[in-house]
Amino acid sequence: FVYFNREIRSILSQNENISSVKILNYEGKIIYDSNVDTDRRYEGDDRIVNERLFLNQVKSKNISFKIDGGKTVYLKMDDNDKVSFVDKDEKLLDELVSGFFVEYFVLPVNDRYAVIYDVDYSHLYKRVELITERIVYLAIFGIMLGMLLSFVLSSKITKPIGKLVESANEIAKGNFQTQVDIKTGDEISFLGETFNQMAKDLESSVEAKLYKERVTSELKIASTIQQQLLPKDIPNIKGLEVSAGIIPAEEIGGDVYDFLKTSDEKVLFYLGDVTGHGVPAGIVSSIASALFYGYSKESDLEKIITEVNRVLKAKTLTNMFMTLCLMQWESSAKKFSYVNAGHEQIIHYKAKEKEVELVPAGGIALGMLPDVSNLIKTQEVDLQVGDYLVIYSDGIPEAWRNKDEMYGMERFQNAVKYFGNDLVTSLAMKKAILSDVKQFCGDYKQMDDITLIVVKRVE
């Protein structure tokens, strides 16, 4: 008891806002009271607390406190370490209004005991009084000093300051071309010159701000339009389970994907990547998205690619081009075919062998040549039940951890192989890949758009 009591006294001496400490068991028996048990362990009759609300606090698993007015509040922490105010039944309470006083805290220790801390505000009141005194003294000193300085300097600075006030009023009205003429040869003159420069800077700043606000607003509108071009929902594809997503590097991205159900048995989908990112790339990707939608009824994949390329070459800048992988699934024939136009190779996870391989690539990016019909060809993937296909933009293998190290294809393929052995849905595979890329990059700036489509054969 001597050692324990000494520790309690040490704690109280270091925490001047705690007046006493009590320890109670769940039956309401006071085991220790720092106000009473000062010299030796208490040996009298049991000290029992019968107040029901207080016993509820003692027995609760949550920390609680009582405020002035008799209200009892419990603190509940969720899995994200967010603390909420609740009642004894863990029902949410309204937000507490500031200004209340806490009478005591009850902290559960285990399933038998709780510690009660009584709060003492006397030290707080003393500090408030001390600060109030200092503020009063400073205010009196400031007033006296101000009166003295104003008496000494008023005759010298009143007129120039008046000019500055008049000019400031003009600026407040929006007349940023206002200039003040002060030639006293002292600090006031320097202030006048600074004021004139400020007026010029304000004019430039306001113009720049208006321009920035207009550009920001237009970027938001463009971003919204681009988001509308992406599929809101992936159609139900017989025989396949599909998940997709895009993470733009800026407000406007150059990556695009879509799913177009051309019949009950056929689904056309694609993933494209325009050079660079930002507004120019976003415009080209939007044009391409509209073109693929317009040609989606065409059954020949090569013809679709050829026609889209023809329009892009004619209507976009010579230095803008787009890599793309156009795919089609025929559920009745269980046939997966694709045309690669200079895009990244598809990663094929084979469930039976538990291995990954890169399917053949080929083709040339759209928008580079007027006619690409002789440079592309339709290819097929032997997609078995349980297999995954991972289609992606170069933002994943070229994701940087720092200026010297990037994610790379080897790590990418190993990740697909590892996740393919354990995960059972395309959504889980997509989330796992993006999480692995994010973990690799850390806080390093994302340099390019990241787009991913994961396809799984389910029957």
Side-chain angles (χ1 to χ4, degrees):
F1 174 82
V2 172
Y3 291 116
F4 174 77
N5 199 44
R6 183 185 303 164
E7 290 296 328
I8 293 296
R9 297 301 170 188
S10 176
I11 291 173
L12 290 175
S13 67
Q14 299 174 43
N15 296 271
E16 59 186 16
N17 296 317
I18 301 298
S19 62
S20 65
V21 176
K22 296 184 183 69
I23 300 176
L24 276 73
N25 62 17
Y26 277 11
E27 286 73 35
K29 178 181 178 181
I30 299 176
I31 307 300
Y32 174 80
D33 186 340
S34 64
N35 283 335
V36 178
D37 307 337
T38 57
D39 300 322
R40 59 181 180 175
R41 185 195 306 269
Y42 179 78
E43 296 179 352
D45 296 335
D46 288 347
R47 295 172 290 185
I48 303 297
V49 176
N50 295 318
E51 185 180 353
R52 182 177 57 83
L53 294 179
F54 185 73
L55 289 177
N56 288 339
Q57 291 181 259
V58 172
K59 296 179 181 180
S60 174
K61 66 179 180 180
N62 297 319
I63 296 174
S64 62
F65 57 89
K66 183 178 181 182
I67 63 177
D68 53 336
K71 185 174 183 179
T72 302
V73 180
Y74 294 80
L75 304 179
K76 181 181 179 182
M77 183 178 296
D78 60 18
D79 295 337
N80 297 321
D81 294 336
K82 181 181 179 182
V83 177
S84 302
F85 295 131
V86 300
D87 60 16
K88 65 182 182 64
D89 299 320
E90 297 192 356
K91 295 181 179 179
L92 286 176
L93 299 175
D94 296 334
E95 290 294 331
L96 297 180
V97 180
S98 61
F100 62 85
F101 287 85
V102 176
E103 295 182 11
Y104 60 81
F105 286 91
V106 179
L107 174 66
V109 178
N110 51 35
D111 58 354
R112 297 180 59 193
Y113 300 101
V115 179
I116 294 86
Y117 297 93
D118 291 320
V119 181
D120 183 4
Y121 287 95
S122 59
H123 295 280
L124 174 63
Y125 296 146
K126 291 179 181 179
R127 289 197 295 268
V128 172
E129 291 176 0
L130 181 59
I131 292 174
T132 303
E133 290 178 2
R134 291 178 179 176
I135 292 174
V136 171
Y137 293 149
L138 288 174
I140 294 174
F141 176 77
I143 292 171
M144 295 177 64
L145 181 61
M147 292 175 63
L148 178 62
L149 291 177
S150 64
F151 177 77
V152 174
L153 300 175
S154 61
S155 59
K156 184 177 181 181
I157 65 175
T158 300
K159 187 175 181 180
I161 292 298
K163 292 182 179 180
L164 287 173
V165 171
E166 292 177 2
S167 299
N169 289 332
E170 289 297 317
I171 289 180
K173 296 176 182 178
N175 183 11
F176 297 112
Q177 297 182 349
T178 299
Q179 297 287 288
V180 61
D181 184 18
I182 298 177
K183 297 180 180 180
T184 59
D186 54 11
E187 290 81 358
I188 302 300
S189 178
F190 176 75
L191 180 61
E193 295 173 0
T194 304
F195 183 90
N196 292 336
Q197 184 61 44
M198 180 197 70
K200 296 178 181 178
D201 294 342
L202 276 174
E203 184 176 16
S204 301
S205 176
V206 169
E207 292 176 355
K209 184 178 180 180
L210 291 174
Y211 176 77
K212 180 181 179 180
E213 290 177 351
R214 179 170 61 83
V215 171
T216 301
S217 176
E218 292 175 355
L219 283 175
K220 288 181 179 179
I221 295 173
S223 177
T224 302
I225 293 174
Q226 189 176 51
Q227 289 296 321
Q228 293 296 323
L229 296 176
L230 297 175
K232 296 180 178 61
D233 298 299
I234 298 176
N236 185 23
I237 304 174
K238 185 179 180 181
L240 295 183
E241 182 185 272
V242 183
S243 183
I246 183 170
I247 306 175
E250 296 180 0
E251 291 88 347
I252 308 298
D255 288 3
V256 64
Y257 71 92
D258 204 353
F259 299 87
L260 305 170
K261 197 166 186 178
T262 56
S263 69
D264 293 337
E265 299 295 329
K266 292 183 179 181
V267 176
L268 188 74
F269 53 104
Y270 60 87
L271 190 154
D273 181 5
V274 181
T275 52
H277 45 83
V279 175
I283 294 174
V284 175
S285 66
S286 299
I287 295 174
S289 179
L291 291 173
F292 279 110
Y293 186 84
Y295 290 116
S296 60
K297 294 300 181 181
E298 176 63 51
S299 60
D300 188 345
L301 298 183
E302 294 180 18
K303 186 173 182 180
I304 295 175
I305 289 286
T306 301
E307 291 301 314
V308 172
N309 173 78
R310 179 180 61 82
V311 178
L312 288 179
K313 178 61 179 175
K315 297 298 182 181
T316 59
L317 297 175
T318 56
N319 62 341
M320 298 293 293
F321 57 90
M322 178 183 192
T323 66
L324 183 124
C325 185
L326 179 65
M327 298 153 281
Q328 181 174 266
W329 169 252
E330 300 177 48
S331 58
S332 58
K334 296 179 172 41
K335 175 182 175 183
F336 186 94
S337 54
Y338 71 95
V339 175
N340 196 313
H343 197 69
E344 307 291 325
Q345 289 179 270
I346 298 175
I347 300 176
H348 182 189
Y349 171 79
K350 297 183 176 181
K352 185 176 181 180
E353 296 86 356
K354 295 186 176 181
E355 294 292 338
V356 297
E357 68 175 15
L358 297 176
V359 305
I364 187 172
L366 306 182
M368 297 185 71
L369 298 175
D371 185 8
V372 297
S373 57
N374 296 326
L375 301 174
I376 58 173
K377 67 176 181 178
T378 303
Q379 303 182 76
E380 295 183 9
V381 178
D382 183 16
L383 190 60
Q384 299 297 318
V385 174
D387 286 6
Y388 284 99
L389 293 178
V390 179
I391 307 96
Y392 53 94
S393 65
D394 59 4
I396 293 182
E398 295 179 7
W400 292 89
R401 169 180 283 175
N402 50 53
K403 63 179 181 180
D404 300 318
E405 185 180 3
M406 67 180 182
Y407 192 71
M409 282 302 301
E410 182 178 354
R411 181 184 178 97
F412 193 7
Q413 293 181 73
N414 290 336
V416 173
K417 178 180 177 181
Y418 176 78
F419 297 135
N421 293 335
D422 296 329
L423 303 179
V424 297
T425 66
S426 61
L427 178 61
M429 172 72 84
K430 183 196 77 170
K431 290 182 176 180
I433 292 173
L434 294 179
S435 177
D436 190 58
V437 174
K438 177 61 178 176
Q439 184 178 4
F440 173 83
C441 296
D443 296 329
Y444 199 75
K445 181 181 178 182
Q446 181 181 335
M447 306 302 293
D448 198 2
D449 304 324
I450 293 176
T451 305
L452 181 66
I453 298 177
V454 178
V455 176
K456 181 181 181 182
R457 171 81 186 277
V458 294
E459 63 176 41

